[in-house]
Each structure stands twice: as structure tokens, then as C-alpha cells.
Amino acid sequence: GGGVGIAFACGSILDFPGATDATCYWSDERTVRADVASAAIVPGDNATALGGVLRRACVVGVPAPRACACHPYANASSTVVLPPENPPAPAIVLEAPETVSRCEGGFVSALQSGGSGGRDFTKVAWSIAEPGAAWAAVPSTATKWYELVLNASHLNVSSLDVRLELANFLGGTAEAAVRLKVQGGTPPTLTFVGARERTVLVADGVEVDARGVATSCDGRPMSGRAVSYAWDVVDAVTGARLPLASSSRDARKFAAGAGALAPGAYDLVATVVDDAYGFATNGSVRLRVERSALVARVDGGDRTVPLADGAVAVASASY
């Protein structure tokens, strides 16, 4: 290895599955750390410090001069690799249309999910169920683990629950589910970009994207499938509609600046209307707005004033 903080090949001092693909560095003179995202090692494997390559660090004159050549090399030693005490869990984000038609079908995407630990997930399990029924496993598409395509065979119900279970190589697990309404007509499709439940801070404002498109079941080309958008903000506790309009020029996006929403729970409702026939679909994102940390700012910075003079401090920039 090299000096403290210098990256080197783990295989030069350690032996474990994939050691040649891992990068190591010394964080101090006694601790070596390894980046194993590209290695094959998993909890339960053995890791071995190679014999004849490691010895005590040579520090001349501290506490007394000693010839570095007198420091013997260590013998090989092994240990079992343990998982973290609190392995990081996958973070699942499911994007799905609020309403799907039996004619057109749809898909659920987990593309924005993370937490794999830098490797492929060790478990990817999709399942579907009519609300209240037992889960039935369904395969994802062969080339896209993060996508589940729903066709007419899945949609012979009035509503459908879709669940995804993920696990990473560190032992972290998570699952999430989303519910879709199924219609036999030809409603437009509405999908929110990102999760349907979100937590934001008062000082951060709000920004939510939606994507809508009219049905293709009647043979219309994409150029004839335009929709119009409308947004409403509803207090999730009282059901009252708030007089808050989007500040975005993009009709597909709802945006509101810092402080526009007080702490609380809100339903952000999007409605898309088929421009050609007037069919409508609506859906909502649940927003939980939380207080931001207080930040104190005093104008002017450090100053020196005569003892006999007064001083005024202005903190109007605090938030």
C-alpha cells in the first residue's frame, strides 16, 4: 500500500473475493479501508491480510531510533466479513399512472430508486394484487428490472396494487406499493414524476411535475393526443381548497416559492383533460411541509465601535 490517504490495489495486501477489483487506502497507520462496490465480496466471506507484506510503520526517532529493517513482517490472518449493524436500506420510488385503461395498459417504473450499495440489487421482486387479495408474483421486463409492464391480462379489475421488493448485497431490504385505478373507457393517462408522497421544508418551496397524454385506443397519432392541465392545492386535514396558483410557466409543473405553504399536510391535485373529447383524469401527490431550521443573520458582520457610541444590530435577513 501507500501512505495515508493514497489509493492502491487491495489485492496487494488483502485477499477476498474481488480484491483485485477493489481500491484500498490507509485512513491512519493502523486502519485500511476498502471500496468494494466493484468487488464480489459479500457479508459472510473471508478476508485475509496477506503474510509477508505488512509490518509496523517505520517512525525513526519516535520514541527511540530503531532500524526499520528490524520490524518483522506479519503472518497471514483472516476474518469473516460482517454486515453493517444498520445496513442501508434501498430507497424505492415508484412512478405509476393514477388511472390506466384496459385497452391501453401501462407500466410502473422504479428507475429513481436507489440504495443498491453500488452494485445490482440482489433481490428484485414485483407482485400485483387486487386490493385485499394475496400478492401474485410477476416478472419485470428482461432488460429493465426497474419497469413492470401491465397489459390487459393484469387489468381485469377495478383497481390494482403493485408492489416492489428490493434487497442489496449488504442485507438492507425495503418494499413499497402503489395503487392504480383501472377503467374500461378511454381516459387520458396521468403520471407524476417522482414519489406520490413527499416531504419538503417551508424554506425550499414546492415543485412537482406531471405528465399526461390522451388515449391511443382510438387510433389517434401522438400529435392528436394533447391534454390540458389544472392544479389545485387542498388542505389534507380540512379538505379546504387553498387559493394558491402555480408560479411555473410550464402547465405540466406546479411550483410555489419558499414560504408559500405553512407547515402541514396538503394534497396537490392535478387534472388532465383530453383536448379532443374532454375526458378527464385526476390524481394527487401528498405533500408534508415541515418547518425549516432557524437561520440567524446579522447585517454588517464584525464591527468595532467607540465605547461612548451606541450600536444597532439588524437581523432582518434571518429566516
Side-chain angles (χ1 to χ4, degrees):
V4 173
I6 300 175
F8 61 93
C10 290
S12 63
I13 65 169
L14 300 173
D15 179 34
F16 56 78
T20 56
D21 299 318
T23 300
C24 285
Y25 67 93
W26 292 95
S27 58
D28 57 45
E29 292 180 344
R30 296 187 177 188
T31 306
V32 65
R33 299 185 180 278
D35 177 356
V36 298
S38 300
I41 189 171
V42 296
D45 286 340
N46 287 326
T48 301
L50 299 177
V53 297
L54 294 174
R55 63 180 178 178
R56 178 181 174 184
C58 180
V59 183
V60 177
V62 181
R66 182 178 182 183
C68 293
C70 294
H71 295 166
Y73 285 99
N75 296 324
S77 61
S78 298
T79 188
V80 175
V81 177
L82 300 176
E85 291 185 4
N86 297 300
I92 302 177
V93 177
L94 295 178
E95 292 184 9
E98 291 277 336
T99 302
V100 295
S101 69
R102 295 187 182 93
C103 162
E104 197 163 30
F107 68 91
V108 179
S109 173
L111 180 60
Q112 295 191 50
S113 301
S116 66
R119 304 185 191 175
D120 291 340
F121 286 108
T122 56
K123 178 182 180 181
V124 178
W126 290 95
S127 52
I128 61 174
E130 191 173 0
W135 292 105
V138 290
S140 61
T141 56
T143 57
K144 298 179 180 180
W145 69 264
Y146 54 82
E147 188 173 284
L148 178 66
V149 177
L150 300 171
N151 54 46
S153 66
H154 304 127
L155 300 175
N156 192 28
V157 292
S158 59
S159 61
L160 184 72
D161 290 338
V162 177
R163 182 180 67 176
L164 174 62
E165 299 170 275
L166 295 178
N168 57 37
F169 77 99
L170 294 171
T173 62
E175 66 176 65
V178 65
R179 179 166 295 177
L180 290 71
K181 293 179 287 187
V182 182
Q183 293 189 7
T186 54
T189 298
L190 169 63
T191 303
F192 291 102
V193 180
R196 291 188 186 175
E197 294 190 8
R198 312 181 191 188
T199 299
V200 298
L201 299 178
V202 171
D204 293 339
V206 176
E207 191 170 291
V208 175
D209 288 287
R211 296 292 182 265
V213 64
T215 183
S216 64
C217 291
D218 53 11
R220 274 183 284 173
M222 181 59 73
S223 59
R225 297 168 62 191
V227 295
S228 299
Y229 295 80
W231 294 90
D232 291 294
V233 182
V234 178
D235 187 305
V237 176
T238 66
R241 178 184 174 190
L242 278 63
L244 179 62
S246 173
S247 61
S248 175
R249 295 183 179 180
D250 186 344
R252 301 172 300 175
K253 179 182 295 185
F254 181 91
L261 289 174
Y266 304 89
D267 289 322
L268 182 57
V269 182
T271 301
V272 293
V273 180
D274 185 333
D275 286 349
Y277 298 110
F279 301 130
T281 296
N282 60 48
S284 64
V285 169
R286 174 61 58 89
L287 297 175
R288 291 181 174 81
V289 181
E290 297 182 349
R291 298 183 186 277
S292 304
L294 295 177
V295 177
R297 290 183 176 175
V298 180
D299 291 347
D302 295 337
R303 284 161 288 177
T304 301
V305 297
L307 183 61
D309 291 351
V312 176
V314 178
S316 60
S318 302
Y319 61 91

